[in-house]
Amino acid sequence: MDNYPLLNIFWTMLELFLWILWFFLLFKIITDIFRSHDIGGWAKAGWLILVILVPLIGVLIYVIARGKSMGERDVAQAKQSEAAFKSYIREAAADGTPAGEGPPGGRSHVDDLAKLAELKSSGAISDEEYRKAKEKILA
């Protein structure tokens, strides 16, 4: 340990962190190139060649040229995922399957009501959906 001072450990950790950050950014950009629907195949190939062959300059040019639309695509995908999740929750809550006849393992009415209460408190389902699902469970 005497041959490797504390400052060198700090610089080594900083370099490692920057490498990880660099690869994260590179993979994020490559993913965005394939996810982008507003550019054609040849443009995607051109961006990929630029980013892979001249990585530092290619990544900087991509972030400057398409950074704003990259963020917009991320937000749109997050909204789409959230909408799909909420839709799944609503379908599962309004399924109509009685609690005892559901999946194997036999959930009780109490378990189903507790899950419904959690969904309502988290805002995943509305009061009306909660009321309907509760009536189905208790029926």
Side-chain angles (χ1 to χ4, degrees), residues 41-137:
W42 287 106
K44 288 180 183 185
W47 277 116
L48 276 175
I49 290 170
L50 183 66
V51 167
I52 290 172
L53 293 182
V54 190
L56 183 61
I57 295 171
V59 166
L60 289 176
I61 291 172
Y62 189 86
V63 169
I64 291 169
R66 298 185 47 85
K68 184 177 180 182
S69 62
M70 189 166 104
E72 291 168 354
R73 280 187 292 279
D74 281 342
V75 169
Q77 183 180 6
K79 286 181 180 179
Q80 183 182 9
S81 296
E82 183 179 356
F85 176 71
K86 285 186 176 183
S87 172
Y88 172 75
I89 297 270
R90 285 190 177 108
E91 288 174 14
D95 186 24
T97 305
E101 299 173 13
R107 296 184 322 214
S108 69
H109 294 300
V110 176
D111 294 335
D112 289 338
L113 289 173
K115 286 188 187 252
L116 272 177
E118 288 176 24
L119 292 173
K120 181 183 173 201
S121 65
S122 70
I125 59 174
S126 67
D127 289 336
E128 181 66 22
E129 292 168 326
Y130 172 77
R131 186 184 56 76
K132 287 180 183 178
K134 182 179 172 184
E135 287 175 3
K136 286 182 183 180
I137 290 173

Side-chain angles (χ1 to χ4, degrees), residues 1-10 13:
M1 192 72 174
D2 294 333
N3 297 340
Y4 206 68
L6 185 60
L7 188 58
N8 287 352
I9 293 173
F10 171 75
M13 290 179 68

Side-chain angles (χ1 to χ4, degrees), residues 4 6-22:
Y4 206 68
L6 185 60
L7 188 58
N8 287 352
I9 293 173
F10 171 75
W11 286 116
T12 302
M13 290 179 68
L14 182 63
E15 289 174 2
L16 179 66
F17 174 74
L18 290 175
W19 269 104
I20 292 170
L21 185 65
W22 168 253

